[in-house]
Amino acid sequence: MLDNPHAGLVCIIPGRGDTLRINGRARLVRDAPWFDEMVVKNHRPLLALVIDVEEVFFHCSKAFFRSDLWKPESAPHAMVTNRN
C-alpha cells in the first residue's frame, strides 16, 4: 500500500451471489476525530486504513454460484477441518 495506494475491496454476504466492489486510494491515518467512536474495551485505535472511494459497482453473481462458495463440502481438502 505504501508503494501503490490503489485499493479494491470486494464485499460479500454469505448466501448472496452478487458482490459489491469498491475501488479507491488507500492511506494510513494515525489519528482522526472518529477514532474516539471506535474505542473497544477502552482501547482506542492507533492506526486506521482509510479508502478514499473512487468507484463502486456490483459484480455479477455467476462466478459465486458456479464456485459453490457457501457450501462447506465444496472447500478444498486442506481448508476443511475435522470437528470430531
Side-chain angles (χ1 to χ4, degrees):
M1 180 196 63
L2 298 176
D3 291 335
N4 180 358
H6 297 285
L9 302 173
V10 177
C11 305
I12 57 176
I13 299 172
R16 290 191 56 117
D18 56 337
T19 61
L20 180 69
R21 174 72 184 228
I22 301 171
N23 291 331
R25 298 179 72 77
R27 58 190 167 94
L28 292 173
V29 177
R30 290 184 186 215
D31 194 22
W34 38 267
F35 274 30
D36 290 335
E37 299 171 27
M38 300 174 67
V39 173
V40 175
K41 294 183 181 181
N42 295 321
H43 294 285
R44 188 173 186 270
L46 300 176
L47 194 65
L49 176 69
V50 175
I51 307 287
D52 295 315
V53 177
E54 295 173 350
E55 68 180 333
V56 177
F57 54 92
F58 286 99
H59 273 288
C60 173
S61 60
K62 288 181 185 177
F64 279 112
F65 287 131
R66 291 179 183 144
S67 72
D68 288 330
L69 181 68
W70 304 123
K71 294 181 182 177
E73 63 274 12
S74 70
H77 180 69
M79 296 177 64
V80 177
T81 59
N82 186 352
R83 295 188 175 147
N84 293 335

